[in-house]
Amino acid sequence: GDSVTQMEGPVTLSEEAFLTINCTYTATGYPSLFWYVQYPGEGLQLLLKATKADDKGSNKGFEATYRKETTSFHLEKGSVQVSDSAVYFCALPYYNQGGKLIFGQGTELSVKP
Amino acid sequence: EPEVTQTPSHQVTQMGQEVILRCVPISNHLYFYWYRQILGQKVEFLVSFYNNEISEKSEIFDDQFSVERPDGSNFTLKIRSTKLEDSAMYFCASSEAEGPPLYFGPGTRLLVL
């Protein structure tokens, strides 16, 4: 069945370091792909999305490219800040099931000054 | 920017008691959802709701759960007889069209004692 796998955390980086959080998926068809972020004590916020192969989603300095050939949607940021400390979730919709999203297990990022 | 709101932010209840979690979706959205996240686990889909009826539900969403849109703005999740394993963060979400992007509320943390 459809699934999402993320790299395990926690990931600890120093400020201004380069970030990659890996996400791979298995899916029926070619669904849109999403990254959500959960800051401490808050809910899930949509960070970025890509709707088709080779699309690059970007927001707040984060980027992710929809790679059909490797079934991946890795999240990257060139220079992280302490304020980026959060849990990041990769997600995709179940095939033909609207708003039913499958989430990865989440990757906790901790950025130290 | 419009956002989904949820009340209460925290709820503590005794096992066997009924709880109602409340949500106010974004005003022009037509599709509503509940998800939950047990501590340390993945975010899981519970139910989707459209046009005053359930459109999709997971196996988690058994007879002890119900959803309702009692008026033009609120969307509620009722758990009739809570169990210890219902302790989780419950997220409400809404979307303008069927399917993503979904916009999530900040969550209600439910603790069943």
Side-chain angles (χ1 to χ4, degrees), chain A residues 19-87:
Chain A
L19 168 71
T20 300
I21 299 178
N22 290 340
C23 171
T24 57
Y25 65 90
T26 57
T28 306
Y30 301 103
S32 297
L33 301 173
F34 303 86
W35 277 100
Y36 280 84
V37 59
Q38 185 178 28
Y39 296 103
E42 300 185 16
L44 296 163
Q45 299 177 27
L46 179 63
L47 179 61
L48 55 82
K49 66 177 181 178
T51 57
K52 61 182 189 297
D54 300 325
D55 262 5
K56 179 184 283 187
S58 61
N59 186 25
K60 299 181 180 179
F62 291 90
E63 293 183 337
T65 301
Y66 190 159
R67 302 281 187 204
K68 186 177 66 173
E69 63 278 7
T70 55
T71 61
S72 65
F73 191 54
H74 303 323
L75 183 68
E76 296 182 335
K77 186 173 185 181
S79 176
V80 293
Q81 306 299 312
V82 172
S83 57
D84 294 326
S85 297
V87 181

Side-chain angles (χ1 to χ4, degrees), chain A residues 34 36 44 97-99 101 103, chain B residues 35 42 56 91 99-100 102 104:
Chain A
F34 303 86
Y36 280 84
L44 296 163
Q97 291 188 44
L101 292 176
F103 285 87
Chain B
Y35 284 74
K42 289 188 179 186
E56 193 75 42
F91 292 106
L102 272 60
F104 286 81

Side-chain angles (χ1 to χ4, degrees), chain B residues 52-65:
Chain B
N52 279 321
E53 59 183 33
I54 291 172
S55 45
E56 193 75 42
K57 62 182 181 178
S58 73
E59 59 190 22
I60 302 168
F61 195 88
D62 60 24
D63 290 345
Q64 70 161 339
F65 290 93

